[in-house]
């Protein structure tokens, strides 16, 4: 009976020791799990660069992605807010955004500002100019040319007038592009 009592006491003691030493280990693993979840939720620089590139490519697909991202930003959706992008813009700075014939470069300028501001912050001016500026400028030209292809469903201009207005719009787009290539 004494042997049984000492064995039970030893088991109880070892159980108590196990419970007290395992507690912090279990608590540590729970807090580590929470930390790894928040770390997994944080966006890395590599992920931010990949998302930024997808929004600033010289393609219609990228423009569509940027439009969707802007909509998400305006709706304060976490899917885009987690990247902490700079969405500030002055549109076309001191150049006219609205062009005769109902054309507007406002959204082309907004996406251009978005690319410039975010890349300069993320990679610095040197790597921005070296690796990203040319692509963003070309996307800007594409976006302006797409704007110049706009034609209202109830066009008040004759086909000849519209042709001249469109040509003037494309000429203005080229000038804006040349300006950002030279000065941007």
């Amino acid at each position: 009976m004494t042997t049984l009592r000492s064995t039970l006491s030893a088991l109880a003691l070892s159980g108590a020791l196990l419970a007290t030493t395992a507690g912090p280990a279990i608590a540590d693993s729970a807090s580590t799990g929470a930390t790894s979840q928040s770390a997994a939720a944080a966006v890395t620089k590599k992920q931010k660069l990949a998302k930024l590139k997808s929004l600033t490519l010289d393609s219609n697909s990228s423009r569509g992605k940027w439009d969707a991202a802007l909509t998400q930003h305006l709706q304060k959706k976490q899917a885009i807010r987690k990247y902490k992008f700079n969405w500030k813009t002055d549109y076309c700075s001191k150049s006219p955004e609205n062009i005769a014939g109902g054309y507007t470069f406002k959204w082309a300028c907004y996406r251009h500002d978005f690319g410039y501001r975010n890349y300069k912050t993320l990679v610095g001016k040197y790597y921005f100019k070296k690796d990203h500026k040319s692509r963003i400028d070309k996307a800007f030209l594409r976006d302006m040319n797409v704007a110049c292809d706009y034609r209202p469903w109830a066009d008040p201009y004759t086909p000849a007038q519209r042709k001249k207005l469109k040509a003037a719009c494309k000429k203005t787009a080229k000038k804006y592009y040349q300006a950002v290539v030279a000065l941007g």
Side-chain angles (χ1 to χ4, degrees):
M1 186 81 175
T2 347
T3 310
L4 182 60
R5 229 183 256 167
S6 60
T7 305
L8 286 175
S9 297
L11 283 172
L13 181 60
S14 65
L17 286 173
L18 182 63
T20 57
T21 57
I26 293 170
D28 285 346
S29 67
S31 67
T32 304
T35 305
S36 67
Q37 285 176 350
S38 66
V43 176
T44 66
K45 183 176 180 178
K46 184 177 179 180
Q47 290 170 320
K48 191 170 182 177
L49 279 169
K51 183 67 168 181
L52 184 56
K53 187 173 184 178
S54 77
L55 300 175
T56 58
L57 289 171
D58 178 19
S59 70
N60 290 331
S61 171
S62 177
R63 174 58 195 246
K65 289 176 185 177
W66 186 83
D67 289 340
L70 177 60
T71 300
Q72 288 176 345
H73 164 70
L74 294 173
Q75 294 173 347
K76 299 182 182 342
K77 300 284 184 174
Q78 185 60 27
I80 197 66
R81 291 183 84 191
K82 68 183 178 184
Y83 292 99
K84 298 180 181 176
F85 288 130
N86 179 348
W87 291 91
K88 294 179 183 174
T89 185
D90 61 356
Y91 297 102
C92 297
S93 300
K94 294 181 173 136
S95 302
E97 295 151 2
N98 297 315
I99 311 301
Y103 304 111
T104 183
F105 292 159
K106 183 176 182 178
W107 302 111
C109 291
Y110 194 172
R111 185 161 87 124
H112 190 253
D113 283 353
F114 175 83
Y116 267 42
R117 290 171 195 216
N118 285 288
Y119 271 115
K120 284 179 183 177
T121 300
L122 201 55
V123 300
K125 289 181 183 179
Y126 173 79
Y127 288 105
F128 161 71
K129 285 187 175 187
K130 180 179 178 240
D131 299 331
H132 307 287
K133 182 183 180 309
S134 176
R135 183 187 73 252
I136 293 169
D137 290 346
K138 287 176 185 172
F140 179 50
L141 179 60
R142 174 190 289 269
D143 290 347
M144 289 186 294
N145 283 328
V146 167
C148 292
D149 290 335
Y150 166 75
R151 185 170 179 178
W153 66 271
D155 196 348
Y157 300 104
T158 66
Q161 289 172 319
R162 176 56 63 192
K163 187 176 179 179
K164 285 181 183 177
L165 289 167
K166 184 176 180 176
C169 182
K170 295 226 180 215
K171 185 175 181 181
T172 303
K174 189 174 182 180
K175 285 182 182 180
Y176 282 28
Y177 171 73
Q178 290 168 338
V180 297
V181 167
L183 306 171

